[in-house]
Amino acid sequence: MKTLYDKLWEDHVVRSEADGTSLLYIDRHLVHEVTSPQAFEGLRLAGRRPWRTGANLATPDHNVPTRDREKGIDDPVARLQVETLDRNCRDFGITEFEMNDIRQGIVHVIGPEEGATLPGMTLVCGDSHTATHGALGALAFGIGTSEVEHVLATQCLIQKKSRNMLIEVKGRLGPGVDAKDLVLAIIGRIGTAGGTGYAIEFAGEAIRDLSVEGRMTVCNMTIEAGARVGLVAVDDTTIEYVKGRPYAPKGETWERAVAAWRNLHSDEGARFDRVVEIDATAIEPQMTWGTSPEMVVPVTGRVPDPAREPDPVKADGMRRALEYMGLEAGTPCTGIRPDVVFIGSCTNSRIEDLRAAAGVAKGRKVASNIRQALVVPGSGLVKKQAEEEGLDRIFIEAGFEWRDPGCSMCLAMNADRLEPGERCASTSNRNFEGRQGAGGRTHLVGPAMAAAAAVTGHFVDVRKLN
Amino acid sequence: MEKFETFSGIVAPLDRSNVDTDAIIPKQFLKSIKRTGFGPNLFDEWRYLDRGEPGMDCSKRPLNPDFVLNDPRYQGARILLARDNFGCGSSREHAPWALLDYGFRVVIAPSFADIFFNNCFKNGILPIVLDAKIIDDLFRRAVGDEPLKLRVDLENQTIGLPDGKTIGFEVDAFRKHCLLNGLDDIGLTLEHVDAIRAYEARRRQEAPWLFAE
């Protein structure tokens, strides 16, 4: 009896030492401009070539501008980094979706979209949100630049196996409660270090009910609970999603692949080192109030009081967070007013997210206290599909800006950023100090909640709109 | 990678938990295509009072006098003492590069985030996990008028205190071996080329869709 993680791990071990240190084979490597230049430089210095060129797929996403792309990149340092990726991919023969290719986008959006992420794969990327791809039953995790070089040179990584954790989400999510609310509630429950050292499998009725996009939102934030790996078992929803995508197998190979993928689930009675049960029916729309993703409350609640926290180190962290966020303990969440709204990132920039936000924005206007409301699709193809569905018109008529794909204000490496002291309702994944711009204050929410905050001018329970 | 040799160094106490890699090295400095030169921007938003951008001369920037690395007692510190979940967030290896470039060779904390922990070993930094009670004691000693100096001996897995006491610590045997000898992982893996090729040949039969070009 094996867990899904056990199966994926065992399928990829090339060799093991007695202490469990293993050489793990990597099927797919996604590459972006920020964490790869030093790795390519290392390859060159050692006179090495990529082990298997076709296993790599690259795109620039962190640094790219989200408007006026025909003019190129203004910032010379960012431009050099993107040009360095282009040159490295050319020199080493790696497929790259360059900035003006319609297939360009956030690595974690384009992998699944292209079928470059397949169930049963090992997939890595120099980016901590790589767990996103676990939504398709792939063993996917983020790595540093030295490991990027290691994968390029050897198609392997030196790893030790993690422990197994099961998060069983029982019951169904209520209307107006989405995958983002679910994962924020999970992080609030187990904490930002709750998953450290574990591979987490998400299971249960509420997970099975989610689309692959929703499962990606959940797996994406696994790292915010401390775990490098998040997984969902393969089912009909997964197979239906993969079918027909450009890199997906075809014909007879497809049939063989599907037969193999049907085994990608934990066996009945498989042993987990830790099991957490979550009641989906009790989850309300969530928002973070502090500077760590575990500092989260239901939007119907209030900003918590550090005086009521028994752990002194934690209470001190809460006080520091309140000061940074410019908030008083006890403030109702619905009394908090953002200055900026950001809908995008590898957590929430897929078509389903844009539909949810547009559903709220339709026929409404961005409130006058909002300086900027940005919608940044996850890829050129998501953008195209949204435009075919008329979502861009809904956003633009409501007063949102409709941008080109990239990481954008999730980490503010390009021109999209908060000014010091500005408050943001953001569908991204991290509310760390300065993450969206020095001195910026981030509240993490789902896409419908972000749109609701934009049109009302304050955080609001999206279930109470209309 | 530089070999890790026994040394004595001053401890800088950074008393907050969940220190993330965005705080260790903010995003604007990630645009560099080099591995070096990140030290002046380590903890940039906490360390300086102005807004840091790449290319600035950091020796002319206003320092935040309340930040630990600006305290005269901790100048030249080579050991960073921290709290729970140090290095959480982004996988950016620029975080250990910045710590190393500043001069840190050891980080001591009750727990670390996985990716950061792993990235340290690839760059000759030793992350040491100690019990929270021992960490509390080290914090008390480190904030006195005289800076705390510790002797870190990886070979024997001990930390020597000024009063002659020693604290033992755990480290993975393979990672210890690599650190002590300054070994490059890629070179080690390439000793197993035949095993990798045999694995690929088998998998091409079992799961050909994984090898479509």
Side-chain angles (χ1 to χ4, degrees), chain A residues 64-402:
Chain A
V64 294
T66 57
R67 63 174 163 194
D68 303 329
R69 281 199 178 164
E70 61 288 354
K71 293 187 200 152
I73 303 176
D74 273 347
D75 175 354
V77 196
R79 188 170 62 233
L80 175 64
Q81 202 170 50
V82 172
E83 286 171 356
T84 302
L85 179 68
D86 295 348
R87 184 171 57 86
N88 284 329
C89 289
R90 257 196 320 273
D91 287 359
F92 290 108
I94 290 169
T95 303
E96 183 197 1
F97 299 158
E98 292 190 20
M99 188 171 79
N100 289 318
D101 189 315
I102 188 151
R103 297 167 297 176
Q104 178 269 340
I106 305 173
V107 275
H108 308 310
V109 175
I110 69 166
E113 180 175 86
E114 289 292 320
T117 307
L118 294 174
M121 266 185 169
T122 41
L123 180 150
V124 296
C125 175
D127 191 284
S128 60
H129 290 110
T130 307
T132 309
H133 308 260
L136 288 130
L139 174 53
F141 53 92
I143 57 177
T145 298
S146 295
E147 288 182 315
V148 169
E149 185 182 341
H150 198 123
V151 175
L152 283 168
T154 71
Q155 212 54 49
C156 292
L157 283 174
I158 299 171
Q159 296 285 305
K160 266 193 170 173
K161 201 176 171 202
S162 303
R163 286 173 292 172
N164 279 289
M165 185 189 296
L166 177 68
I167 294 187
E168 171 103 38
V169 189
K170 301 206 156 162
R172 301 190 136 163
L173 294 172
V177 182
D178 69 10
K180 183 66 162 286
D181 300 316
L182 170 57
V183 72
L184 285 172
I186 290 170
I187 295 164
R189 166 89 171 271
I190 72 171
T192 44
T196 305
Y198 288 97
I200 299 179
E201 180 177 345
F202 299 95
E205 190 180 7
I207 298 291
R208 298 262 72 86
D209 277 354
L210 292 174
S211 64
V212 170
E213 283 88 348
R215 295 173 188 182
M216 285 196 248
T217 299
V218 173
C219 289
N220 173 273
M221 288 192 71
T222 314
I223 190 69
E224 266 56 70
R228 291 172 79 180
V229 170
L231 287 168
V232 175
V234 171
D235 60 8
D236 291 343
T237 306
T238 326
I239 289 166
E240 205 45 49
Y241 176 92
V242 174
K243 195 173 185 179
R245 294 190 180 264
Y247 283 73
K250 311 269 183 310
E252 194 197 331
T253 317
W254 167 258
E255 298 303 329
R256 272 186 72 190
V258 170
W261 296 341
R262 290 284 179 197
N263 187 39
L264 294 175
H265 55 81
S266 291
D267 296 329
E268 190 82 31
R271 192 188 154 273
F272 287 87
D273 301 286
R274 188 178 169 198
V275 177
V276 176
E277 282 188 13
I278 302 277
D279 176 7
T281 62
I283 295 174
E284 297 184 273
Q286 306 280 309
M287 66 179 278
T288 63
W289 59 267
T291 53
S292 165
E294 69 184 10
M295 295 173 169
V296 64
V297 286
V299 68
T300 52
R302 290 170 184 270
V303 175
D305 187 350
R308 300 171 79 167
E309 170 58 52
D311 175 348
V313 175
K314 227 173 182 173
D316 189 43
M318 289 171 73
R319 269 187 285 272
R320 210 191 300 263
L322 286 178
E323 192 190 331
Y324 182 85
M325 294 297 289
L327 290 173
E328 298 283 335
T331 305
C333 289
T334 50
I336 301 172
R337 299 168 75 81
D339 307 294
V340 172
V341 174
F342 171 61
I343 297 170
S345 87
C346 58
T347 314
N348 282 126
S349 65
R350 297 177 183 82
I351 190 68
E352 191 175 280
D353 302 314
L354 302 187
R355 286 180 193 141
V360 172
K362 191 170 186 175
R364 297 190 168 100
K365 293 281 177 204
V366 170
S368 59
N369 61 307
I370 305 292
R371 171 179 72 82
Q372 184 173 46
L374 282 184
V375 186
V376 184
S379 72
L381 290 170
V382 168
K383 184 175 188 195
K384 179 167 172 272
Q385 187 179 350
E387 288 174 353
E388 283 164 6
E389 295 181 17
L391 305 185
D392 59 323
R393 299 310 317 161
I394 295 174
F395 285 123
I396 291 165
E397 277 161 25
F400 289 84
E401 296 175 39
W402 179 246

Side-chain angles (χ1 to χ4, degrees), chain A residues 14-15 23 51, chain B residues 189-201:
Chain A
V14 173
R15 63 183 302 281
L23 203 56
W51 179 276
Chain B
T189 296
L190 288 174
E191 290 173 9
H192 303 296
V193 162
D194 292 345
I196 302 171
R197 295 214 189 283
Y199 172 89
E200 283 183 324

Side-chain angles (χ1 to χ4, degrees), chain A residues 11 15 25 38 51 54 75 81 144-147 149-150 160 197 256 411 413 430 433-435, chain B residues 15 20 22 27 30-31 34-35 46 89-91 93 114 118-119 172 186 189 192 199-200 205 213:
Chain A
D11 276 350
R15 63 183 302 281
Y25 191 81
Q38 297 87 350
W51 179 276
D75 175 354
Q81 202 170 50
T145 298
S146 295
E147 288 182 315
E149 185 182 341
H150 198 123
K160 266 193 170 173
R256 272 186 72 190
L411 86 167
M413 273 190 81
R430 290 190 174 132
E433 287 184 23
R435 170 81 179 180
Chain B
D15 197 0
D20 57 76
D22 276 79
K27 82 279 286 161
L30 270 47
K31 294 175 189 172
K34 301 197 183 103
R35 274 175 198 261
W46 293 341
S90 154
S91 66
E93 201 159 316
D114 286 340
N118 194 37
N119 283 342
D172 178 87
I186 296 176
T189 296
H192 303 296
Y199 172 89
E200 283 183 324
Q205 299 301 315
E213 299 286 315

